[in-house]
Amino acid sequence: MKRFAVLLLLFYFQHLFSQVIETTAPLIIDESRSTIRTRFIPPKGFYWINEEPGSFSQFLNNFPLHPPNFPVRDFTGVPIEQQQHHIALLKIDVGVKNLQQCADAWIRLYAEYLWINQRFDEIGFEFTSSQFFTWNDFKKGIRTKELNKKVSFIKTEKEDNSYENFQKYLEVIFRYAGTISLDRESIPIKNNAAIKTGDFLIKPGSPGHSVIIVGVARNLAGKKLYLLAESFMPAQDIHVLVNHQNPQLSPWYELDVGAPETTTAKYIFKPTSIKRFHALR
C-alpha cells in the first residue's frame, strides 16, 4: 500500500511537471520587465519591429504595465468575474464612471500620447452624431448641453488648461463617441504588410467592439505577429489579451485583413476590419 502511494505521488508530480512544460514553454514572458516591449519576447525567429521615434506606435510599445498577475478591475475598482482572458494590464486608470470602454480605450491612449507630447491642437474627436469637439474648445469653457436628444455647445465655464480638466474633457468624449464614430474617423488597412502598432480591429455598432494592436513582431520572411489589448463593458482596465485559439502562440496573434472573421479572447470580428485613425495615416 505504501509503495502504491509513493508510485501514485511520483506519477502525479511527473504529470504536473509535464503539463507545466507543455503549457508554458511557448509563452515567453519576462515578468521582471515593466513595459509591453520588454515584457513580451517574440516567438523564436521573430523580433520586435523598431517603431519610429516619438510615434504613437513607439508610445504604445513602451507603455508601462502593472506587476504580473494583477487582476482586471472595473471602474469601481472591483476585479471582474472572468480573469482568464488577459496576460497583463496597462498602467493607466479607467476613471470612476462606466465610460472608458472599448473604443474609448483607444481614444484615451491616443489623447494621452498627444497630451504628453504637447500636441494640444490635435486633440479632438467626433461624436456618434458626427459633431466634432476639441480639447481647445473645452479648455476655453465650452460645454455640451442636451436638448431633445440633440447636443449643442455653449460656454459656461472659465478657461482651464489643467490635466484635471483634460480628464473631464475625455469623459465627455467617452460619453458621446464610440465604435461608430471611431470607425468613421478611420481608414481601412487593405494589406497585411501595412498593419502597424496603433491600428485597431473594429466592429462599429451599438454595441460594437474594438481591440488595439499594441505590438508587432516580424520574422526574416516578413511574416508578422501582433499583441492585442482592449477594454470592455463595463468599463475596465486596459489589458493585453491571451490567444485562446492558439495557446502555443499566445499571447501573440496572427492577423489577416482578408480573413472572413478574426477571433480574439472575448470577441469575434466578423468581418475582419483593421483600421487606422485618419490623423495617423
Side-chain angles (χ1 to χ4, degrees):
M1 185 67 182
K2 183 176 180 181
R3 181 183 178 187
F4 175 77
V6 170
L7 288 173
L8 185 63
L9 189 62
L10 287 172
F11 174 79
Y12 170 76
F13 279 111
Q14 182 181 21
H15 176 72
L16 179 64
F17 182 69
S18 65
Q19 287 297 102
V20 169
I21 292 177
E22 180 183 328
T23 58
T24 63
L27 187 62
I28 306 174
I29 299 171
D30 187 344
E31 295 185 345
S32 67
R33 303 294 182 172
S34 60
T35 68
I36 290 174
R37 188 180 179 96
T38 57
R39 185 173 297 181
F40 296 102
I41 302 170
K44 185 177 180 179
F46 287 81
Y47 56 92
W48 275 98
I49 288 178
N50 290 322
E51 305 290 359
E52 181 183 348
S55 67
F56 181 50
S57 298
Q58 187 186 59
F59 173 79
L60 291 176
N61 275 188
N62 294 319
F63 209 89
L65 299 172
H66 280 292
N69 302 316
F70 217 79
V72 175
R73 304 152 301 174
D74 65 20
F75 63 98
T76 67
V78 176
I80 63 173
E81 183 176 346
Q82 296 186 344
Q83 296 287 336
Q84 72 271 28
H85 302 304
H86 76 283
I87 195 64
L89 266 65
L90 276 66
K91 204 168 187 179
I92 186 170
D93 71 278
V94 72
V96 296
K97 299 176 183 178
N98 190 13
L99 292 174
Q100 188 177 295
Q101 299 177 359
C102 56
D104 311 303
W106 185 93
I107 291 171
R108 173 72 187 282
L109 291 170
Y110 184 56
E112 292 284 353
Y113 161 73
L114 294 176
W115 175 275
I116 289 170
N117 287 280
Q118 300 184 25
R119 292 163 57 177
F120 307 119
D121 293 345
E122 300 176 48
I123 302 174
F125 302 94
E126 281 189 14
F127 293 170
T128 301
S129 62
S130 297
Q131 294 165 292
F132 191 69
F133 196 32
T134 69
W135 158 240
N136 281 340
D137 285 335
F138 189 87
K139 75 178 183 181
K140 293 175 183 176
I142 304 297
R143 297 293 183 268
T144 56
K145 182 179 180 180
E146 289 187 44
L147 182 63
N148 297 326
K149 296 184 179 181
K150 293 184 178 180
V151 177
S152 58
F153 301 97
I154 57 175
K155 180 173 173 60
T156 61
E157 305 292 333
K158 296 180 179 179
E159 184 162 348
D160 181 355
N161 61 0
S162 67
Y163 181 75
E164 291 72 22
N165 200 41
F166 174 61
Q167 295 301 305
K168 293 178 182 178
Y169 161 75
L170 288 177
E171 287 186 0
V172 175
I173 297 299
F174 299 158
R175 183 174 290 110
Y176 292 111
T179 54
I180 293 173
S181 58
L182 184 59
D183 181 73
R184 190 172 55 234
E185 286 199 274
S186 304
I187 57 175
I189 303 302
K190 297 182 178 180
N191 64 80
N192 293 333
I195 302 173
K196 69 178 184 179
T197 302
D199 294 341
F200 45 85
L201 289 92
I202 190 163
K203 172 66 175 178
S206 298
H209 192 48
S210 66
V211 167
I212 312 160
I213 298 172
V214 294
V216 181
R218 181 172 55 198
N219 65 11
L220 293 178
K223 181 179 179 180
K224 292 181 179 180
L225 298 175
Y226 308 88
L227 290 176
L228 307 179
E230 71 175 16
S231 182
F232 213 71
M233 297 180 289
Q236 55 195 245
D237 290 307
I238 304 172
H239 47 280
V240 179
L241 296 170
V242 298
N243 186 348
H244 296 305
Q245 298 295 307
N246 191 345
Q248 299 300 310
L249 193 63
S250 182
W252 297 86
Y253 281 79
E254 297 175 294
L255 296 177
D256 181 2
V257 297
E261 64 181 49
T262 297
T263 301
T264 59
K266 292 181 283 184
Y267 195 84
I268 299 175
F269 291 89
K270 189 175 182 178
T272 299
S273 176
I274 303 176
K275 304 193 80 171
R276 179 174 303 155
F277 195 63
H278 69 90
L280 295 169
R281 73 177 87 191

